[in-house]
């Protein structure tokens, strides 16, 4: 069994952090240490899927977790699909004035993609990144694309209404 735990503070309000974590980071700078990040679903509810990614060098391990329960911005997760026989996680977000404290604990059991010793070494060097600014950039791109789609739809509707 491999366990990972990290506590971080973000200089954003709790609602802002939760909304921003719904977007995958647009880009991340990969350095010496492996990077772990997750993307929350649009609706935080039991049964929804959280996407996880661990990047180490040019290799990536991806998996999903299913939200088991949510209470007071504390999320409990179990394995959805991935290279493990078991996975559990808890993510807790606490408002602390103008900041948000993020508490993350992940536990992995039964590895199918890499040997447990290798994964344990990778996890011991990993940093969980929130990449708030990279996620905000991704959100801006998403909003721009959706706005353009709506503008094109209205234009097509207007042309169709006046044709004939």
């Amino acid at each position: 069994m491999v366990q990972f735990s990290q506590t971080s503070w973000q200089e954003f309000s709790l609602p802002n952090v939760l909304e921003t974590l719904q977007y995958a980071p647009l880009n991340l700078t990969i350095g010496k240490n492996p990077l772990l990040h997750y993307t929350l679903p649009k609706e935080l509810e039991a049964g929804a899927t959280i996407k996880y990614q661990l990047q180490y060098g040019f290799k990536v391990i991806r998996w999903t977790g299913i939200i088991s329960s949510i209470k007071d911005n504390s999320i409990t997760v179990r394995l959805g699909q991935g290279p493990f026989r078991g996975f559990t996680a808890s993510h807790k977000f606490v408002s602390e004035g103008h900041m948000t404290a993020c508490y993350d604990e992940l536990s992995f059991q039964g590895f199918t993609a890499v040997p447990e010793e290798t994964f344990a070494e990778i996890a011991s060097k990993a940093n969980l990144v929130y990449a708030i600014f990279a996620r905000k950039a991704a959100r801006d791109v998403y909003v721009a694309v959706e706005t353009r789609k709506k503008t094109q739809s209205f234009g097509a509707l207007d042309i169709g209404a006046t044709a004939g």
Side-chain angles (χ1 to χ4, degrees):
M1 177 186 291
V2 173
Q3 295 187 327
F4 178 91
S5 179
Q6 183 173 304
T7 301
S8 302
W9 284 266
Q10 302 300 315
E11 294 189 27
F12 300 96
S13 69
L14 176 61
N16 190 297
V17 168
L18 292 175
E19 189 267 337
T20 304
L21 288 176
Q22 295 174 10
Y23 298 90
L26 188 60
N27 58 18
L28 292 175
T29 302
I30 305 300
K32 281 184 168 183
N33 292 332
L35 298 180
L36 170 65
H37 69 84
Y38 57 87
T39 304
L40 296 177
K42 298 288 183 203
E43 299 296 325
L44 278 177
E45 58 191 16
T49 300
I50 296 178
K51 296 177 182 177
Y52 294 87
Q53 180 171 309
L54 176 63
Q55 176 113 21
Y56 57 106
F58 292 110
K59 297 180 182 176
V60 177
I61 298 175
R62 290 184 179 92
W63 69 98
T64 61
I66 306 296
I67 297 175
S68 299
S69 67
I70 298 175
K71 184 177 181 184
D72 300 326
N73 295 316
S74 184
I75 304 167
T76 304
V77 181
R78 62 179 166 76
L79 179 64
Q81 293 182 338
F84 318 107
R85 285 192 299 273
F87 167 75
T88 57
S90 67
H91 307 287
K92 184 175 182 179
F93 305 94
V94 179
S95 179
E96 294 187 359
H98 70 285
M99 297 181 76
T100 299
C102 306
Y103 304 94
D104 297 285
E105 294 184 16
L106 294 81
S107 177
F108 306 88
Q109 307 88 29
F111 305 88
T112 58
V114 295
E116 181 173 350
E117 300 78 27
T118 303
F119 188 82
E121 184 178 335
I122 293 167
S124 72
K125 296 176 183 175
N127 292 315
L128 194 149
V129 295
Y130 294 92
I132 297 293
F133 292 108
R135 291 173 189 265
K136 287 180 183 287
R139 181 189 59 202
D140 292 346
V141 169
Y142 175 80
V143 168
V145 168
E146 289 302 309
T147 301
R148 176 125 179 134
K149 283 182 187 177
K150 288 179 184 175
T151 302
Q152 288 175 342
S153 294
F154 285 126
L157 181 62
D158 188 42
I159 290 171
T162 58

